[in-house]
Structure formats: structure tokens, C-alpha cells
Amino acid sequence: MVRGLGRAGIAAIHHTGRGGMFLASLVGGMGMMVRRPRLLVQQIHAVGVMTLPIILVAGLFVGMMLGLQGFNTLVGFGAESSLGLAVGLFLTRELGPVLTALLFAGRAGSALTAEIGLMRATQQLDAMEMMAVDPLPRVVVPRFLAGVIVMPLLAALFSVVGLFGGYLVGAVLLGVDGGTFWSSMHEGVDVVHDVLAGVFKSFVFGFVVTWVAVFEGYSATPTTDGVSRATTRAVVTGSLAVLGLDYVLTAIMFSEV
Amino acid sequence: MTLQAKETLVGVFILAGLAALVWLTLFVGNWAAITGGAGYRVTAKFENIGGLTVKSPVTLAGVTIGRVSSIASDREDYSAIVTLSIDQDYNNLPVDSTAAILTAGLLGAQYIGVVPGAEIDYLKEGDSIDITQSALVLEQLIGELLFSRAGAQ
Amino acid sequence: MLVALNSVDFSYADTPVYESLDLKIPRGGITVIMGPSGCGKSTLLSLIGGRLQPRCGNVVVDDVEIQSLDKRGLYHLRRRMGMLFQFNALLSELSVFENVAFPIREHTDLSAELIEHLVKIKLEMVGLRGASQLMPSELSGGMARRVALARAIALDPVLVMYDEPFTGLDPISKGVIVQLIRELNDALGMSSIVVTQDVAEGLSIADYVFVFAAGEVIVEGTPEAVNATLRPDARQFLDGLPDGPVAYHYPASDYQVDLFQGES
């Protein structure tokens, strides 16, 4: 039992170490993106545009939920005029970056892992190596960069749609004054500490989730079973990393204010 | 889907994302933390600020006209120096205005209430408010009350 | 000699594959490597392609020692090698045309027009010029193999390696591939190494044959000479006999003891 735990621990450390080395070689392969921007554009399409619908729908629903819950809670204190502030803070600080990252891990991250893992299992990566093409800069780097670029944009769109969802429920359905909704938001939401902190968070999340996804795919056991396990692991690791990092980043960025 | 269609979609996506970011930074949030707001700063000395914190509101007749932008301690007389950042719209406060630390409700958050004076000159950047009233600290009040009753008996 | 392995030792973790293997593959012809599963045939191709490194000994390809090369040098050498993978390994996100164009695009700065000409020539050789806009998922097994073949010869390599080119194909497609390997080898003046377990196809195509068993060359020579061998282990493989030097039974304890050990 103890030995089993020890072995699992060593395996986990080994896996993490390989992930770190992998990240280093990814950064080393970034030069190619300057010469081949098309590869990046294609991946932004695959990773970003294809994830957009789920992000927009989820953002709208979450915003509407915030409007409803916020109103019901605040009206008890007679503070429903602060609804805009509450919705704005929740979305820009927390829910925008975190939920976008979780949805991204489930939709785009798993797809990335499965895609790269299948390329490994069907020897496509080996074939590239034999054609004297390094698969790291050709296949992995554009996907990784696309994830890092796309995540803050998706999170911003999530927040914007969410704000309108909150406005829709709070102001249109429940009768909070629309002007008050927007002005209380503008009054209380700070660009640096709320909006940009959220953007920074989603940037970190994009980095970690995509890194985990492409690494798990690249190092997957080259069998169908291996790929499906790698996909599961990528989503689980990515999601847990997002939630853990969210706490750490929140503690660092919002504590001294 | 052709490559060109994909590229167009990617372009639309990136522009929409950037537009969302710009909208969030320009219209949802405010830049007060960096610019200190479009306004002017005045200082006020208090013997005791109680639970006042940075970002506490500054009000005039109940209307928020600014925020506390920093709090420091005076090395010489051990009082608290509070910097108030007041919105440019309210640049007509007389120099002899007074500032008091008030409490929202009995136990609520503390804020600064400004009462305008009567001079013709207005407060401007870097001025100080000389007449101030410190925070009421509940424990002290209760202590004083008990003490005075004991003395009366 | 195009390829020479000099006293090569190789093992996967604790499983030894080769011990001081010597092998010389001549220029110009089709060399067929045959043997049962797990005898290290595909490993040989990985060693020649520089994807695996031997523990001792060296591998020389086209007068270059692979172990002495850094990554750049190795990639440079690989441009002169083509490889057909067992499961074709076509890039699933690219069309047939783009798959064949892939190595050309990656390694040359030719104009789009010239690339189109080159790709069409290669596709015509394998009879699939009309299928150039299909995606790999729309191809039958035999067609996919031919596309992979066209891609392997896209850069006019000196050496083409075929890993199990006949596996999983219907008899017609098998015949097509046999004919193509022969034609391409002779028409383009390449050398070919074919790794296979299909005895009939392997012997029919070969100029020279190596038969492997358990990491060793047990018979080599022309197809006729190999087919006439009397070695029992080689005969078992060539004739497809279920029992022989390679035992039918996985090693186990005594059958009767195993069955009746419960009652005593």
C-alpha cells in the first residue's frame, strides 16, 4: 500500500517533469509561428471559433442566473440598485475567466488531446518525423499558442454576454432601473483590479489548460485505450488546475485591497 | 470550409473578442485606481479613523462625491492622514468645509461625510481640510458612558 | 552498400531485441525482411531511420553513420528516405493532394504551380490523380496505401522503407501494391527495404531476402535460395506450420499436474 502510493507519487512527479520539459521545447519551437502564421490561424479557428457558441450560450444563462439570484438576495437588503455592480464583479473577476476555462477544457482541451493522441496512435507524428518534419513546431505549437490567445477573448465575450443576460433579467424582467444597473456597475467595477485581473486570470488558465491538453495528447499511449484515458486525464487535470489556480491568483491579486 | 472562409471567421472572432475587452475596460470598469479618478485630492487629519479603509466613499449630503485614496499615519503627532480623491464635478467645496467619519447605520461601514463651509475660496488639489471629526468608536463611547455614570453616583 | 548495421545491440527496457546484429543491404534492389511477429523487423526500420538508437554498434546509411548526427543532420538525411507506415499514417486533416504535397511544401520553396505538377505526377504513378481532393477518411484501404506510397516517394528518395505494405489489403489491392513497389523501384532507381510477414508476396517481389527469428538472421539469399532452405525454424515460418521450433503452447507447468492439483 505504502509502496504503491510511493510509486504513484514518483510517477506523478516524473509525469510533471516531462510536462515541464515539453513546455520548454514548445517555447523553443515558437519561432516557426512567425514564418507560418497560417498554421496559427487554422488552429484559432479550430480552438476558438468552434468553442464560441457554447461560450456565448453558457455566458447568457449564467448572466441571467446572476441577475435573478442577485436580485433576490439584494432586494432583502433594499439594495437592488447594486445589482449591476454585483453582476459585473462576479462576471469580470470570477465567473467569466473560470467558467470559460472549464468549458474550454471540456470542449477544446479534450478535442486537442484526442486529436494529437490519435495522430500519435495512427503514427502520423512518426510519419512526420520520418519526413524530416519536427511535429512539435508543426503540430503542437500552433495549437498551444491558439489556446493561449483565444482564452482571454472567449472569457471577455462570456462576460459581455453575461452582463447582458443579467441586464435582461434584472432590468427588463424584474424592474431594476436600467440606468442604475449600468451606472452602479461602472461606479464599482475597477478596470485594473477587476477587469484586467480577470483577463490576466483567463490568460493563465488558457496557458495551463492548453499546455495540459497538448502534453497529454502528445505523450498518450499510442492505442485507442491510451488516447481515451489521456483525454479524460486532460479534462480532469485541466479543470482542477483552473480551480486551484483561481484560488491562488485570487488570494494574490485581491487580498491587499 | 475553405481556408479563406476560416480566415474570415477567425478575423471576426478576434475582432469581436477585442471589442468585448475594450468594452469591458472602457464602459464596464472605471480607471479610478490608476488615475485616481478625474478629480482632485485633498488631505484631512483625524485623531482616529476607526474602521475607515481605502476606497471608502466620501459623501456630501449623502451623495457620493469621491473615495478615500490612501491612509497614512503622521510620524509627529500620531494622527491619521487620509487622502480624499474628490470628483472634478464637485470642485466647489469651500476651504473651511469640515469632514467627519460617519457610520452607515449603527454597525455599518464607515465613510467620510463632508459638510460645506462658507468661504468664497474653493478647495483645490493638495489642500487640507482642517476641521475634522474623528470616528465614533463604539467601545470608547460605552466606556465613557459607564465612567460618567460612575462619577455621577 | 546502402545500409549497414555493424554488431548492433538493441533492447526495449529489459527485453533484448538484437545482440550484435550484422546486416548489409545493397543499393538498387528490393530487399525483403521477413519473419514472425515480434522478431524485431519493424525495429530494424526504426534503427535505419534514426528513430531509435542502438545500445552498441553503429548504423550506416548512405555512407553516413547515424549515431554521429545531431538532429539537423538526421533530419537532413531523412529527406533522402521515404517510409510507408503499416497503417499508412496519412495526415487526417489534409486532403490526398495536400498529403502528397506535405513533404514538398515543408522542404522546398517551390512555386504553387510546380508543386501541383509534382504532386500530380506522383499521384498519377499510383493511379489516384482523380482522387486528389478526397480526404483520407474517404479512401478505401488499398487507396490509402497508394496515397501513402505516393507521399513516401514525393521527394524522390534514395531509399524507401515499407513497413508491412501488404497487411490488411484485399488480394487485388495486394497485387497492385506488389506491382507498384517493383515499378517504382525500377523506374525511379531507388532502393527499397520491405518488411513483411506475407511470405508469398515477399518472395515474389524480392531481389534479396533476410529471414529473421528472435532477433537473428536465420536465412538469407535470393528468393529461390531462401525457399529451398531446410532449416526447421525457417521452414515453419515459410510454410506456416502451427507447431515446430516455435512452440504452439505458451510455456506452462505440466498439464496433468495443473488440472488435477486440486484433488489429492
Side-chain angles (χ1 to χ4, degrees):
Chain A
M1 170 75 180
V2 173
R3 194 181 297 168
L5 275 180
R7 199 173 298 144
I10 290 173
I13 291 170
H14 178 75
H15 198 61
T16 316
R18 278 181 46 200
M21 306 273 289
F22 181 74
L23 182 63
S25 51
L26 278 188
V27 174
M30 292 213 174
M32 181 165 172
M33 285 303 91
V34 185
R35 286 185 289 123
R36 306 279 296 270
R38 252 209 183 142
L39 293 174
L40 184 60
V41 169
Q42 275 192 328
Q43 289 312 318
I44 292 182
H45 179 264
V47 171
V49 177
M50 303 307 267
T51 318
L52 192 56
I54 175 178
I55 294 290
L56 294 182
V57 173
L60 185 68
F61 284 151
V62 168
M64 290 166 69
M65 177 278 288
L66 280 178
L68 194 59
Q69 286 280 23
F71 181 84
N72 286 341
T73 310
L74 291 172
V75 84
F77 301 103
E80 67 269 24
S81 58
S82 300
L83 181 63
L85 174 61
V87 173
L89 282 181
F90 263 119
L91 280 172
T92 54
R93 280 187 166 196
E94 287 296 333
L95 296 181
V98 172
L99 289 183
T100 304
L102 292 180
L103 291 168
F104 183 90
R107 169 67 178 78
S110 62
L112 282 179
T113 311
E115 191 188 13
I116 297 177
L118 278 176
M119 291 179 91
R120 166 72 72 204
T122 55
Q123 294 187 307
Q124 294 183 43
L125 299 180
D126 295 325
M128 281 193 192
E129 280 185 27
M130 281 308 294
M131 287 187 276
V133 175
D134 191 344
L136 223 53
R138 181 65 176 70
V139 172
V140 182
V141 171
R143 286 167 171 77
F144 175 68
L145 267 186
V148 176
I149 292 172
V150 149
M151 185 76 89
L153 301 178
L154 287 176
L157 287 164
F158 183 100
S159 295
V160 167
V161 174
L163 291 177
F164 278 99
Y167 173 80
L168 197 70
V169 169
V172 178
L173 293 182
L174 298 174
V176 173
D177 178 57
T180 315
F181 183 90
W182 294 119
S183 68
S184 76
M185 185 186 301
H186 186 65
E187 177 78 18
V189 176
D190 185 89
V191 166
V192 176
H193 292 111
D194 301 321
V195 177
L196 292 186
V199 171
F200 178 73
K201 268 186 180 180
S202 65
F203 181 76
V204 174
F205 294 161
F207 186 92
V208 172
V209 169
T210 324
W211 169 33
V212 168
V214 294
F215 171 64
E216 289 293 351
Y218 199 76
S219 62
T221 318
T223 59
T224 34
D225 182 49
V227 174
S228 80
R229 266 184 293 129
T231 308
T232 312
R233 208 162 46 220
V235 175
V236 171
T237 316
S239 307
L240 288 182
V242 165
L243 295 173
L245 275 173
D246 182 48
Y247 173 74
V248 174
L249 290 177
T250 307
I252 293 173
M253 293 192 300
F254 297 129
S255 60
E256 81 264 47
V257 181
Chain B
M1 194 181 299
T2 65
L3 187 64
Q4 201 162 12
K6 274 188 191 174
E7 284 175 342
T8 314
L9 272 179
V10 168
V12 171
F13 167 69
I14 290 183
L15 286 180
L18 289 177
L21 279 176
V22 168
W23 190 70
L24 284 177
T25 47
L26 290 188
F27 297 102
V28 172
N30 62 69
W31 290 92
I34 293 183
T35 59
Y40 60 100
R41 268 158 296 251
V42 296
T43 56
K45 266 190 185 182
F46 294 93
E47 266 166 35
N48 190 332
I49 58 166
L52 195 75
T53 61
V54 171
K55 277 192 147 181
S56 293
V58 176
T59 64
L60 176 71
V63 179
T64 302
I65 59 168
R67 299 207 171 257
V68 171
S69 60
S70 72
I71 295 174
S73 179
D74 191 308
R75 288 192 64 83
E76 279 159 23
D77 61 3
Y78 307 105
S79 64
I81 303 171
V82 175
T83 309
L84 317 179
S85 173
I86 296 173
D87 218 72
Q88 200 56 51
D89 292 351
Y90 309 97
N91 59 358
N92 56 346
L93 297 175
V95 288
D96 61 341
S97 298
T98 62
I101 298 180
L102 307 170
T103 308
L106 188 59
L107 296 168
Q110 286 178 310
Y111 64 97
I112 291 184
V114 176
V115 179
E119 290 278 343
I120 342 164
D121 292 335
Y122 295 142
L123 282 170
K124 57 185 187 303
E125 173 78 30
D127 284 355
S128 65
I129 296 178
D130 299 327
I131 310 162
T132 63
Q133 183 191 333
S134 287
L136 289 176
V137 179
L138 202 62
E139 296 89 323
Q140 274 179 0
L141 277 183
I142 294 170
E144 276 169 27
L145 183 70
L146 291 176
F147 188 72
S148 63
R149 292 190 80 178
Q153 274 178 358
Chain C
M1 287 301 117
L2 179 62
V3 176
L5 277 75
N6 301 315
S7 54
V8 165
D9 274 23
F10 182 80
S11 58
Y12 287 112
D14 298 330
T15 321
V17 182
Y18 304 127
E19 275 171 23
S20 69
L21 176 74
D22 287 297
L23 193 75
K24 296 208 173 356
I25 292 173
R27 259 177 219 279
I30 300 180
T31 305
V32 173
I33 315 258
M34 289 199 284
S37 317
C39 71
K41 301 185 302 277
S42 297
T43 308
L44 187 70
L45 295 186
S46 297
L47 284 168
I48 296 172
R51 287 195 296 140
L52 295 174
Q53 296 294 332
R55 213 151 39 97
C56 316
N58 62 8
V59 180
V60 179
V61 179
D62 206 12
D63 302 323
V64 183
E65 188 190 338
I66 289 203
Q67 284 71 48
S68 69
L69 296 173
D70 58 358
K71 191 171 166 181
R72 274 181 77 104
L74 185 61
Y75 273 30
H76 200 75
L77 180 64
R78 280 181 185 165
R79 292 187 201 178
R80 284 182 282 160
M81 299 183 193
M83 177 145 182
L84 180 75
F85 282 83
Q86 191 170 356
F87 302 106
N88 309 323
L90 294 177
L91 305 177
S92 46
E93 61 184 29
L94 301 179
S95 67
V96 165
F97 181 92
E98 287 299 326
N99 260 286
V100 180
F102 183 84
I104 307 175
R105 282 197 205 285
E106 293 291 327
H107 293 305
T108 65
D109 290 323
L110 300 179
S111 67
E113 203 182 337
L114 203 50
I115 289 178
E116 196 173 332
H117 279 299
L118 284 174
V119 173
K120 280 187 175 161
I121 291 170
K122 304 294 175 193
L123 281 174
E124 179 67 24
M125 281 182 180
V126 298
L128 289 177
R129 192 167 43 85
S132 65
Q133 292 314 314
L134 297 182
M135 294 306 283
S137 56
E138 297 169 303
L139 301 175
S140 71
M143 284 162 77
R145 187 98 11 128
R146 279 145 73 187
V147 173
L149 188 50
R151 186 181 64 178
I153 58 167
L155 289 175
D156 292 322
V158 180
L159 166 68
V160 183
M161 294 183 272
Y162 300 89
D163 190 2
E164 302 288 359
F166 313 116
T167 308
L169 295 183
D170 64 79
I172 302 175
S173 305
K174 258 189 209 179
V176 170
I177 296 292
V178 166
Q179 193 190 334
L180 271 176
I181 293 178
R182 185 81 250 176
E183 276 177 4
L184 290 175
N185 188 79
D186 297 349
L188 301 178
M190 313 178 304
S191 309
S192 308
I193 303 177
V194 180
V195 157
T196 182
Q197 6 180 303
D198 293 88
V199 175
E201 285 80 9
L203 290 178
S204 75
I205 205 176
D207 292 321
Y208 202 80
V209 179
F210 291 92
V211 180
F212 268 67
E216 281 182 273
V217 178
I218 52 171
V219 183
E220 62 176 290
T222 60
E224 295 75 28
V226 166
N227 213 7
T229 184
L230 295 174
R231 271 188 70 132
D233 47 359
R235 282 267 50 104
Q236 188 194 1
F237 173 73
L238 293 170
D239 299 338
L241 305 174
D243 208 352
V246 178
Y248 170 68
H249 288 287
Y250 191 83
S253 60
D254 187 80
Y255 188 38
Q256 289 205 335
V257 174
D258 201 14
L259 272 184
F260 298 112
Q261 65 187 358
E263 348 173 335
S264 61

